[in-house]
């Protein structure tokens, strides 16, 4: 090996960013004053995320569902999710952002279940009445089955109070109602197309009526109504609409 002048080696060593070339033990070949000998491990890129985002959102959802948005503190969310504040902020943003993400997860999960039920394709073994009652079975199970005390609709029972003070929550509320109406309007239009629903019914009006019944169930569940009481209400109201 050709030896370089000592001054040259010192100069080259000074130009090396030792903070970038340190290995995990803090030792680098640059200390030998031979830049060619500096073969170091790459810097650690930071710790991998130690939590499952879906699980965090589900746990946060339960807290918001039970306590509401305003009454839920960051300490509540940290305790429920097991994720510290810096990690929550880094992964989900502030409390409002976390609430919106949790509600979005709730909406998507419920929509997936409803899309499996709200199908009217002319099957003679299915009627609009039977399909709508299966829909309400899912809703009632959701509204009454999350805790010892029925909590109602996670979305409607928490977003309504906050919408006037939070534009993002208001927008989410409006979008959710609109998506609900569109889903049911299409369902009822398909029912008319396949002869399962009388032509005189207006799909848009029916969609809004189903939305009203759904909201009513959520409020009653939150107020302590049992699943049996809610199902009795559904049987009577749907019989008047579709029998």
């Amino acid at each position: 090996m050709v030896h370089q002048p000592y001054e040259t080696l010192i100069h080259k060593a000074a130009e090396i960013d030792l903070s970038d070339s340190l290995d995990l033990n803090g030792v680098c070949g640059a200390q030998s004053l031979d830049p060619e000998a500096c073969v170091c491990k790459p810097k650690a890129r930071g710790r991998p995320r130690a939590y499952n985002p879906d699980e965090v959102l589900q746990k946060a959802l339960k807290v918001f569902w039970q306590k509401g948005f305003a009454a839920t503190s960051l300490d509540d969310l940290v305790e429920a999710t097991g994720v510290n504040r810096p990690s929550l902020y880094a992964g989900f943003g502030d409390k409002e952002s976390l609430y919106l993400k949790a509600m979005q997860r709730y909406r998507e999960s419920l929509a997936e279940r409803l899309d499996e039920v709200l199908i009217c394709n002319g099957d003679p073994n299915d009627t609009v009445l039977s399909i709508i009652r299966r829909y309400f079975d899912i809703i009632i199970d959701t509204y009454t089955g999350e805790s010892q005390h029925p909590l109602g609709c996670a979305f409607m029972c928490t977003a309504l109070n906050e919408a006037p003070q939070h534009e993002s929550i208001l927008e989410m509320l409006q979008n959710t109602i609109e998506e609900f109406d569109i889903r049911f309007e299409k369902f009822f239009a398909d029912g008319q197309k396949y002869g399962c629903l009388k032509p005189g019914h207006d799909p848009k009006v029916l969609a809004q009526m189903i939305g009203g019944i759904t909201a009513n169930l959520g409020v009653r569940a939150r107020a302590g109504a049992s699943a049996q009481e809610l199902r009795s209400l559904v049987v009577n109201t749907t019989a008047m609409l579709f029998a």
Side-chain angles (χ1 to χ4, degrees):
M1 180 176 67
V2 178
H3 293 282
Q4 302 181 45
Y6 181 79
E7 293 79 6
T8 301
L9 293 175
I10 289 295
H11 177 70
K12 289 185 177 181
E15 294 177 345
I16 298 173
D17 186 351
L18 296 181
S19 65
D20 284 339
S21 57
L22 284 172
D23 66 15
L24 297 180
N25 295 317
V27 178
C28 177
Q31 293 173 348
S32 68
L33 299 181
D34 185 353
E36 299 295 329
C38 186
V39 180
C40 304
K41 300 177 182 178
K43 286 193 301 182
R45 294 294 183 181
R47 295 180 180 178
R49 188 161 51 191
Y51 58 82
N52 183 313
D54 285 339
E55 292 179 359
V56 171
L57 289 177
Q58 182 62 27
K59 291 174 181 177
L61 170 62
K62 289 182 179 180
V63 179
F64 285 125
W65 198 341
Q66 183 175 21
K67 304 188 71 170
F69 173 78
T72 297
S73 68
L74 283 174
D75 287 341
D76 293 330
L77 295 168
V78 167
E79 181 179 359
T81 63
V83 179
N84 60 34
R85 289 192 183 205
S87 295
L88 278 178
Y89 276 114
F92 304 96
D94 59 13
K95 187 177 86 167
E96 186 170 327
S97 296
L98 178 55
Y99 171 79
L100 293 172
K101 290 180 174 68
M103 289 301 110
Q104 180 65 25
R105 187 188 189 283
Y106 172 79
R107 286 169 53 187
E108 291 173 352
S109 176
L110 189 56
E112 288 176 3
R113 297 179 66 192
L114 298 184
D115 286 342
E116 295 176 357
V117 172
L118 293 176
I119 300 174
C120 187
N121 54 16
D123 184 342
N125 296 318
D126 254 342
T127 65
V128 167
L129 177 60
S130 64
I131 295 171
I132 287 296
R133 285 180 174 173
R134 287 202 297 273
Y135 155 75
F136 280 120
D137 283 340
I138 293 174
I139 291 298
I140 291 171
D141 287 343
T142 302
Y143 289 179
T144 61
E146 284 294 325
S147 70
Q148 187 175 4
H149 185 283
L151 294 177
C153 176
F155 183 78
M156 298 298 290
C157 291
T158 61
L160 284 174
N161 289 339
E162 307 304 328
Q165 290 81 36
H166 301 273
E167 185 174 350
S168 61
I169 297 178
L170 174 61
E171 183 178 355
M172 180 184 65
L173 180 61
Q174 293 171 336
N175 290 340
T176 300
I177 294 173
E178 182 180 3
E179 289 176 8
F180 182 98
D181 287 346
I182 291 173
R183 176 179 279 107
F184 273 91
E185 188 174 347
K186 180 182 183 305
F187 167 75
F188 289 125
D190 287 342
Q192 287 183 329
K193 176 181 177 181
Y194 292 106
C196 302
L197 185 66
K198 295 178 182 179
H201 287 297
D202 186 334
K204 183 174 182 178
V205 172
L206 284 177
Q208 293 171 343
M209 293 180 70
I210 294 299
I213 297 171
T214 303
N216 185 20
L217 294 175
V219 172
R220 289 176 180 272
R222 188 82 171 189
S226 68
Q228 183 178 355
E229 290 172 325
L230 298 179
R231 287 194 170 89
S232 177
L233 186 155
V234 164
V235 167
N236 291 324
T237 55
T238 55
M240 288 188 291
L241 287 173
F242 304 110

